[in-house]
Amino acid sequence: MSIEKKGRPAAHVIEALTEQVAPEYLSYLQNQGVSYLFAGEKRLNCTLLLEKLHRLFGINKLMLAGGGIVNGSFLAENLVDELSLVIAPVADGGNGVSSFTQVDFLPSWPPTAFHLKEVQTVVPNVLWARYTRP
């Protein structure tokens, strides 16, 4: 199965799972033509996931576009080497969303420093800031 977006090549869908997944869900993925791989027994092992994506699918570079828990899981395993932020002057009154969230059921990590690599204006009043790990 692949996802297609205008102006981009089709992207193959790969589901990352733990070994606790229900057999019915595996059947569903197979029927949908979705590739999957196991990366951990009870919790997702991000390091193992990246190793398998490289070995089995030839993926050398990955963009995380997850929520705070997914992003935090990769950060906890020291697997985030670049941070890309789009800054727009919009206030929505939301209750706050974190790009990196620590939760009780995952390993914690110390504060992680990034250094500014580049800033550019992408459209009027909107900045794209890229940071890298030292």
Side-chain angles (χ1 to χ4, degrees):
M1 173 183 216
S2 62
I3 297 174
E4 296 186 32
K5 291 198 173 200
K6 187 177 179 179
R8 294 185 180 180
H12 184 75
V13 175
I14 305 167
E15 180 96 18
L17 304 166
T18 67
E19 294 173 18
Q20 292 186 329
V21 66
E24 297 81 17
Y25 188 64
L26 295 178
S27 293
Y28 170 77
L29 292 177
Q30 291 168 358
N31 290 336
Q32 297 299 312
V34 175
S35 297
Y36 59 87
L37 53 81
F38 297 105
E41 186 178 327
K42 294 183 180 181
R43 111 178 151 75
L44 200 61
N45 178 324
C46 299
T47 301
L48 178 60
L49 172 62
L50 292 181
E51 289 170 0
K52 285 188 172 187
L53 287 172
H54 174 72
R55 182 170 34 89
L56 299 172
F57 295 95
I59 295 173
N60 296 314
K61 190 172 189 176
L62 186 74
M63 180 185 86
L64 289 178
I69 294 173
V70 170
N71 296 344
S73 297
F74 280 82
L75 189 64
E77 292 185 39
N78 200 29
L79 298 171
V80 177
D81 61 0
E82 184 173 313
L83 176 61
S84 181
L85 300 173
V86 175
I87 304 160
V90 176
D92 67 1
N95 61 359
V97 175
S98 175
S99 296
F100 297 93
T101 303
Q102 293 199 36
V103 290
D104 292 339
F105 58 87
L106 292 173
S108 63
W109 67 88
T112 304
F114 289 84
H115 292 283
L116 184 63
K117 178 180 180 179
E118 175 185 19
V119 176
Q120 59 180 308
T121 303
V122 289
V123 295
N125 299 314
V126 177
L127 298 176
W128 177 22
R130 291 177 59 203
Y131 296 85
T132 57
R133 296 286 298 273

